[in-house]
Every structure is written in structure tokens, then in C-alpha cells.
Amino acid sequence: MKLTNAFLVIILVSIPLEIFAELSVESSMDWSSGQFGIMASRPLDPGMSPSDHPQALTALERELLPHVVEKLGRLAWNHRGTLQEQMERDPSLRTSVENLAGSLKREWSRLSEDRHSVEASYTVELANILPEIFPSSGYENFSRTPIGWVPVPEDSWTGIVIYVPQKMPVRGTGISANVRPALYARILSEELEILADPAAGNGRLLSYQSMENRDQAESLTGRRPYRVMARELYGEYPCDIILSEEDTERILAADSGRQALYEGRIVILLDSEFE
């Protein structure tokens, strides 16, 4: 996997599980594209030669699943925390997480340079697979048309770009924090009305881009997006983004604005390094 937008690609260094001490696993999450990746390495068993690559790969993949589940558990899930914390609140989710782990596709496998280990790379496009594995929240459309006259553009909005500065106030806490990317981060109004929520099942995660790479947003939000600055953050894990009432009204006043919210044609621009 090509690692672009380096500060948005989070490398989680492996701490091998005791039961599989030989297997080394690293994971990555590209918050700009929604691609999750695994890099795994396992030494050849005693007596194996480099020609036993297929057998060594089979041994690696036989031991891989619990490691992938553990790495997925570290991902930020929503405003309440990580996927692991979500599983602790609802143990029945573990089956779904195991199904998600099993959906990774092998990109390649090879022998290490010293020819003493087998290595393999796996990826999954979470935006595509999450709606299949995790049930929708059931909401089909959160957007309402505002009452009264609100100016709307003559030309349709092609998407929404939200700039999030450093150290935004977190609603109800009295503290400030940097926004934290999460799989099911939401866009909210000042009244905490849900404007966009990937958990609703529309299959589109929020895309996070750095200011330096803001031109890449056009592929998702088009050439005439509505541009707005976040006002606050929300959540125990501050991933939800609150827009001002004025911006909310302007977006919802246009059919194209409501459609952009529903379809998830939204890019979050960050100017600070992701923590």
C-alpha cells in the first residue's frame, strides 16, 4: 500500500501475542482513503527451506486472525472511543470484528531479504466492507429543510469541505483538543442534530486530508464544495464535528447540500499532525 499523507497514516507497532511469539504484525490506517492494512512476518520453521514458502505462508495465516482482531480493536470507532472499547460494552460485536478481520485480502507475499522469514501484506477498504458487517443505525436521512428563506446557490454544491483548526473546544467539557479521526465520526449542528453519520449505512467514511494536500479533496467533493470551518468538537473521544447554525442552515437549504451530507461527500481538512 502506498503510504501518502504520512501524518494521517497511523502505524501501530506490534506487541506480539504470547501464544504466537514468533509472528510479528504491524497495522496501518489511512484516514484519507479508509484503507486498513496489515504487514505480517513469521520465521520459517526449523527444517524449512526457502522453497517451502507456501507452507510457511499457510502457517502465518493460520495464526494471523487474533492479531488482526487486536489491531482492529485499536482503531477509533466513534465518539465513545475505540472498537475494542465498543466490544467491551457489547461482547456480541466480537463475531463481527472477526468477520471483518477475515475480510482482508492478501496483496502479496515474499521471503524476507535474509530468506529466513515469510512476509505478507493484507488490506481492506473499510468504507466498502463496514456496512456489510455492521448493521446500519437505521436512519436514512438526517437532513431537514430549514424553515424560512435561506439563500441557496444557483449552482449545486458538489460536496462539503470542513476545516478543523488545532485545539478546538470540546462541547460540555471546558477543554480544548485536536480533532481525532474515527471510523464513525459524525457531523453535527449546534443543537447536536445529526447531519451526517457513516454508521447510517451509506458506505462513506469521512475523509481526512492535510492542508498541504487539500487539492486531493476535489476527487471527492468536486470543484464547487461548500467550505466551512468547524466550531466545536463533541464526544468522550473528540471526533464529532459541530458546525455553526448559519452554516448548517445554508447547507440544508440546498438540495445539493443535503445530498452531499447523505452521500458522505465530505472532506475534513487538518493543519495539525495527527496524535
Side-chain angles (χ1 to χ4, degrees), residues 83-116:
L83 181 52
Q84 176 60 40
E85 291 168 329
Q86 189 80 354
M87 285 192 286
E88 291 169 359
R89 287 188 289 265
D90 182 1
S92 67
L93 286 177
R94 185 171 183 86
T95 299
S96 296
V97 178
E98 290 176 348
N99 290 337
L100 176 59
S103 70
L104 271 73
K105 296 180 179 179
R106 189 197 314 143
E107 299 293 332
W108 50 259
S109 67
R110 66 191 180 196
L111 291 173
S112 60
E113 290 186 3
D114 61 11
R115 302 177 69 81
H116 292 162

Side-chain angles (χ1 to χ4, degrees), residues 26 38 66 70 207:
E26 295 181 355
I38 286 287
E70 187 260 343
S207 175

Side-chain angles (χ1 to χ4, degrees), residues 221-242:
T221 59
R223 295 187 175 182
R224 196 175 187 276
Y226 185 88
R227 300 182 184 276
V228 57
M229 186 172 74
R231 295 303 177 187
E232 293 178 283
L233 305 177
Y234 178 81
E236 299 170 39
Y237 189 90
C239 64
D240 290 351
I241 296 170
I242 299 175

Side-chain angles (χ1 to χ4, degrees), residues 236-258:
E236 299 170 39
Y237 189 90
C239 64
D240 290 351
I241 296 170
I242 299 175
L243 304 185
S244 72
E245 192 60 29
E246 179 181 355
D247 285 316
T248 297
E249 296 289 303
R250 289 181 178 276
I251 292 171
L252 298 183
D255 290 341
S256 59
R258 295 194 305 275

Side-chain angles (χ1 to χ4, degrees), residues 5 7-10 29-34 74-83 164 177-187 198 205-210 233-234 237-241 268-275:
N5 249 355
F7 78 85
L8 293 175
V9 179
I10 314 307
M29 179 64 200
D30 187 336
W31 291 104
S32 65
S33 67
R74 298 186 187 186
L75 292 178
W77 186 245
N78 60 18
H79 62 284
R80 299 183 66 188
T82 65
L83 181 52
V164 185
N178 289 338
V179 67
R180 304 290 186 87
L183 294 172
Y184 283 164
R186 304 173 299 177
I187 307 300
L205 306 181
L206 298 183
S207 175
Y208 299 83
Q209 296 281 359
S210 68
L233 305 177
Y234 178 81
Y237 189 90
C239 64
D240 290 351
I241 296 170
I268 310 302
L269 289 184
L270 308 178
D271 63 0
S272 59
E273 184 172 351
F274 177 71
E275 297 176 355

Side-chain angles (χ1 to χ4, degrees), residues 12 17 36 62 79-80 96 124 143-144 178 225:
L12 305 176
L17 302 179
F36 177 77
R62 186 169 57 243
H79 62 284
R80 299 183 66 188
S96 296
V124 62
S143 305
R144 54 167 177 81
N178 289 338

